[in-house]
Amino acid sequence: MTPPSAASRTVADHTISCTIGSLSAHNYSFSFVNGTLRVTTAELTVTANSHSREYGDANPILDATISGLKNGENLASSGVTGTASCSTAATTASAVANYSITCTIGSLSAVNYSFTFAAGTLHVTPAGLTVTANDKTREYGDPNPGFDATITGFKNGQNLTTSGVTGTASCSSSATMTSPVADYSITCTIGGLLSGNYSFTFFAPGTLHVTKAVLTVTADDKSRQYGDANPAFDATISGFKNGPYAIHCVVGSLAAHNYSFSFTSRWLTVTAAPLVITADDKTKPYGAALPMLTVKYSGFQNGENADSLTTEPALATPATASSHVAGNPYAIVASGAVDTNYTITYVDGALTVTP
């Protein structure tokens, strides 16, 4: 039997011919009829390569690996040309899941090979969202505000409402009501956040700005009499937080690390000074004319005297030149003095008629 030639390695029908070789028979002779060697195509397996991508991203380029080559061939030497056509049902909007990648013959061609196809897998993984703690501001001594976060990185035009994300992040700060004025980090963890198509892998801190609390400095009301020196002026400071707190002062100014100051003006009320007008006592002999009636003053301020009065007092007595000794004493009454800077009181004098 003659073996097939090298050509038999190519898909085709090849002749098988035989010669007598060592055949021998006393009663027979031999004639030879050729046979056929049919070389059929070897089967190559086209396996779709598996890929991964995040939810919302475009599909990667889908390709395949070809296996089953014979005779030590590789893809370049095998005579295989063209590429398989591979596809998947997954789109950018497809939810997180595994999707089949299938290939068809596409433009693949080979003389010595046929093709069978095996599916691969497209792994659509969760897309990463960034959870950023929102900055907050509060005054020293106040409780912390509610902490929250902003979520970014949504795909397919989604937002927090349409993305299917539920729950909220858990955000906190080390700052307490007694923490001094400074900036403090706000950090977030996943808390109750859930999503089928997203993961929460990056948490960006925010900042809590603790600002100075406002103290109100209220000038204390004071009173003094007209003409007196001003009293010492002072103020009441209100608005302290967290109980008593020391204020460190510098010369001529208030200073506090955790407080700023606002100022409220108050009034210095200048009240009328007391002025006492006392009618002078007088005497006269019976039958004589009344003497000149006079007064003395007690309480003038700022070096003032009777000339400073808006209106000087009037003096009167019921006694006359003919008043009798028996009627003693007769009142001498001052009245009618006017000055807005004084509260005026009067002390009567006495007229004594002598024999």
Side-chain angles (χ1 to χ4, degrees):
M1 180 182 298
T2 301
S5 67
S8 65
R9 297 179 181 178
T10 303
V11 172
D13 286 343
H14 299 274
T15 298
I16 303 172
S17 60
C18 298
T19 61
I20 194 167
S22 60
L23 287 173
S24 175
H26 179 73
N27 295 319
Y28 293 96
S29 61
F30 301 93
S31 66
F32 298 90
V33 177
N34 291 339
T36 301
L37 172 65
R38 291 185 173 83
V39 179
T40 60
T41 54
E43 192 171 77
L44 296 179
T45 300
V46 181
T47 303
N49 292 324
S50 294
H51 290 276
S52 292
R53 69 162 174 87
E54 286 189 356
Y55 167 75
D57 288 350
N59 287 333
I61 295 173
L62 303 179
D63 51 13
T65 298
I66 299 176
S67 60
L69 294 168
K70 301 293 182 71
N71 299 319
E73 294 176 337
N74 56 35
L75 199 57
S77 62
S78 65
V80 174
T81 60
T83 55
S85 175
C86 302
S87 63
T88 180
T91 67
T92 56
S94 296
V96 170
N98 290 328
Y99 295 86
S100 180
I101 302 172
T102 58
C103 297
T104 58
I105 194 166
S107 61
L108 284 175
S109 176
V111 173
N112 294 324
Y113 295 98
S114 60
F115 302 95
T116 61
F117 298 90
T121 301
L122 174 64
H123 305 282
V124 177
T125 61
L129 293 178
T130 298
V131 181
T132 303
N134 293 323
D135 293 342
K136 299 288 181 177
T137 299
R138 69 162 173 85
E139 286 188 358
Y140 166 76
D142 288 349
N144 286 334
F147 295 131
D148 50 18
T150 298
I151 300 176
T152 56
F154 292 107
K155 301 294 183 70
N156 299 319
Q158 294 175 336
N159 55 37
L160 190 59
T161 302
T162 61
S163 64
V165 172
T166 60
T168 56
S170 177
C171 303
S172 61
S173 172
S174 63
T176 66
M177 291 174 63
T178 58
S179 297
V181 169
D183 287 341
Y184 297 86
S185 180
I186 303 171
T187 58
C188 296
T189 58
I190 194 166
L193 287 173
L194 290 172
S195 176
N197 293 324
Y198 294 98
S199 61
F200 306 92
T201 55
F202 184 70
F203 296 88
T207 301
L208 172 63
H209 305 283
V210 178
T211 60
K212 291 186 176 184
V214 177
L215 294 178
T216 300
V217 182
T218 303
D220 293 332
D221 293 338
K222 299 290 181 179
S223 294
R224 68 164 173 84
Q225 289 183 358
Y226 171 72
D228 289 350
N230 285 337
F233 295 131
D234 51 19
T236 298
I237 301 176
S238 60
F240 289 107
K241 305 292 180 70
N242 301 316
Y245 198 88
I247 296 179
H248 303 286
C249 298
V250 297
V251 176
S253 64
L254 292 168
H257 178 70
N258 291 323
Y259 296 95
S260 60
F261 299 92
S262 68
F263 295 89
T264 302
S265 298
R266 299 302 293 268
W267 299 98
L268 169 66
T269 302
V270 179
T271 60
L275 178 65
V276 179
I277 301 177
T278 303
D280 294 327
D281 292 339
K282 298 291 181 177
T283 61
K284 81 171 186 71
Y286 171 72
L290 293 175
M292 180 180 292
L293 302 179
T294 59
V295 296
K296 59 178 173 287
Y297 298 91
S298 175
F300 277 122
Q301 304 290 334
N302 301 320
E304 294 177 339
N305 55 36
D307 293 337
S308 303
L309 295 174
T310 303
T311 303
E312 293 191 24
L315 292 161
T317 179
T320 66
S322 59
S323 296
H324 297 280
V325 172
N328 284 327
Y330 295 91
I332 302 173
V333 178
S335 64
V338 176
D339 195 308
T340 57
N341 289 325
Y342 296 97
T343 299
I344 299 173
T345 59
Y346 300 92
V347 177
D348 293 347
L351 175 62
T352 303
V353 178
T354 60

